Amino acid sequence: MLHLHRATRADALVDALRETLADPPADPFATEVVAVPSRGVERWVAQRLSLGLGATTDRHDGICANVEFPSARRLIESALAAASGIDPDEDPWGPGRAVWPLLEVVDEHRGDRWLGALDAHLGRSRGRLGALRHISGLFDSYWIHRPEMLMRWAAGDDAGLPDDALWQAELWRRLRTHLDVASPAERLATACARLREEPELVDLPDRLAILGLTRLPAARLQVLSAIAARRDVHLHLLHPSPVLWDHVAATLGDPAGRVPRRRDDPTADLPRNRLLASWGQDARELQVVLAAGGPFSDRQHDGELADPTTLLARLQAG
């Protein structure tokens, strides 16, 4: 099950995490897994946890031990690799490895009409290899953020691309034929199904937590949801406004499993505060992605806030 914990302050999220870890697992020697975004956050979280875990009543003499702190990206990619059988470092679709096959495909079809726009750009560009590295990176980001678009490309559907971008779909299909290996987008559904049916594929405990995410692309949410089918996954999200969360939830209703394009996002105009609209965009869009991913439990961990006494506190409260 996916459990969502929200708070406007990071220390409240860590306190919620400590409450979760205070309940010991069935196996006392099982390693806890807490995914964090950086080593600095890892040290801070470990220090905060040690204030309460195993501490004497009314004292801060606890300990944080037998806890692993991988990155969320490494955790998700490792699970996907275990289910698909392809190591990310050996995947021919990796953005670094796909550059050279992409160069061969472009050289083979330089005279073709469908590649005219890219061919003209490469003729003017001094950094030909750099341009293809950029395209390879785009293809990699497409499968992470819009895997359904690449599935349509694989089926011969250009997915509504404008005329001046049709070459991207055709180039991707030619690269797919050249590599003769299923793309990550094509492997995603099968891998997620295996994670649901064979949870022992991944070396993860029955309970894990992820703290500090600011973005969760659609493909990685699918992997995380598959892991959560047989495990308790606690997602700790820093969100600046409980009121905005409620408004977004009411606006989305039932998103029917689809993440809307940014230009079609019905929640874009909900924030009235200009700072919240700008700085809170990632948190709002993360909620949109989560809502499309299926059911989850939701808990807000901020209590009643005291009357602000400083300028910074008044700004935060506003």
Side-chain angles (χ1 to χ4, degrees), residues 142-160:
Y142 289 164
W143 93 260
I144 293 174
H145 294 275
R146 296 191 60 194
E148 75 288 345
M149 181 180 74
L150 293 191
M151 293 300 293
R152 291 175 64 181
W153 286 8
D157 181 355
D158 293 334

Side-chain angles (χ1 to χ4, degrees), residues 21-242:
L21 299 185
D23 182 18
D27 180 1
F29 295 102
T31 300
E32 299 279 9
V33 173
V34 179
V36 292
S38 68
R39 292 300 180 191
V41 174
E42 172 188 336
R43 288 192 293 271
W44 177 71
V45 170
Q47 291 167 0
R48 294 279 305 186
L49 291 176
S50 66
L51 296 177
L53 289 179
T56 308
T57 303
D58 297 328
R59 296 184 62 181
H60 298 301
D61 57 353
I63 185 172
C64 177
N66 202 23
V67 180
E68 291 185 359
F69 293 95
S71 69
R73 177 175 179 175
R74 181 163 68 86
L75 186 152
I76 294 172
E77 288 185 349
S78 296
L80 189 58
S84 65
I86 298 180
D87 188 327
D89 294 333
E90 303 296 329
D91 190 350
W93 283 94
R97 298 173 67 89
V99 172
W100 304 107
L102 186 61
L103 180 62
E104 294 176 4
V105 172
V106 169
D107 284 345
E108 180 181 352
H109 296 279
R110 289 198 68 174
D112 293 359
R113 183 176 179 180
W114 63 268
L115 198 61
L118 178 61
D119 193 17
H121 172 74
L122 294 177
R124 297 189 302 267
S125 174
R126 295 183 179 180
R128 186 162 172 264
L129 188 59
L132 293 180
R133 280 199 181 101
H134 177 67
I135 294 172
S136 179
L138 284 178
F139 287 166
D140 185 63
S141 68
Y142 289 164
W143 93 260
I144 293 174
H145 294 275
R146 296 191 60 194
E148 75 288 345
M149 181 180 74
L150 293 191
M151 293 300 293
R152 291 175 64 181
W153 286 8
D157 181 355
D158 293 334
L161 289 176
D163 291 344
D164 59 354
L166 289 175
W167 62 268
Q168 290 193 49
E170 184 62 25
L171 180 59
W172 184 89
R173 284 190 286 265
R174 302 275 181 164
L175 179 62
R176 169 67 172 81
T177 301
H178 183 85
L179 292 176
D180 197 25
V181 175
S183 68
E186 296 172 279
R187 304 192 299 255
L188 182 61
T190 302
C192 289
R194 289 198 67 193
L195 288 173
R196 290 186 176 90
E197 297 166 2
E198 306 173 61
E200 67 279 1
L201 283 173
V202 290
D203 185 19
L204 290 173
D206 292 335
R207 176 180 69 193
L208 59 142
I210 300 176
L211 186 144
L213 278 183
T214 57
R215 290 178 178 271
L216 186 58
R220 289 179 179 153
L221 175 60
Q222 291 184 40
V223 178
L224 199 60
S225 297
I227 295 173
R230 300 291 188 91
R231 292 176 170 86
D232 286 323
V233 178
H234 295 264
L235 181 59
H236 295 257
L237 173 63
L238 192 65
H239 194 281
S241 172

